[in-house]
Amino acid sequence: MPEFIISENLPEPAGPYSHVARAGGTVWTAGFGPFDPATGEVPEGIEAQTEVTIDNVERALKAAGLGLGDVVKVTAHLQHLHEHFAPFNEVYARRFTGTRPVRTTVGSDLLNILVEIDVVAVADTTETS
């Protein structure tokens, strides 16, 4: 059975959806933007917004018992793809280290934010004997 998670450590969903879904060993997050979970505020600039967005993704994964190291696929949406790709990529490279997940980065018409990210992660479901 699928499990759906809404965490009070994340920004309130902007619509009728869950923060995280888990089925088997796979976890999907909703798209997260740069909203501070406590205040709802959004910082200025692509670098700061990317940091807060990845913080939110990390909180979502934690609610499912996972971390950034468990991510296998990232989809990133940038409001201004050509202008913000390089600074976004610098922050991303600092946060996703080691063997990095596959990624798609696209330009999107975002509502009052510069970046949104969703991920797919896999829990280690192998049993040890």
Side-chain angles (χ1 to χ4, degrees), residues 26-111:
T26 304
V27 171
W28 296 264
T29 71
F32 287 98
F35 300 96
D36 181 287
T39 66
E41 293 185 21
V42 174
E44 293 292 321
I46 187 62
E47 293 93 343
Q49 287 196 21
T50 301
E51 289 283 359
V52 173
T53 298
I54 294 173
D55 288 346
N56 285 331
V57 168
E58 197 166 26
R59 284 184 195 96
L61 292 167
K62 185 176 181 179
L66 302 174
L68 293 178
D70 299 304
V71 173
V72 295
K73 171 72 167 108
V74 174
T75 303
H77 300 265
L78 300 179
Q79 178 72 270
H80 307 290
L81 183 61
H82 295 289
E83 177 184 347
H84 290 153
F85 184 81
F88 160 81
N89 214 35
E90 287 178 24
V91 174
Y92 181 93
R94 280 197 316 271
R95 298 296 299 273
F96 285 90
T97 58
T99 303
R100 294 186 171 106
V102 298
R103 185 179 89 191
T104 301
T105 306
V106 297
S108 294
D109 187 13
L110 302 173
L111 187 59

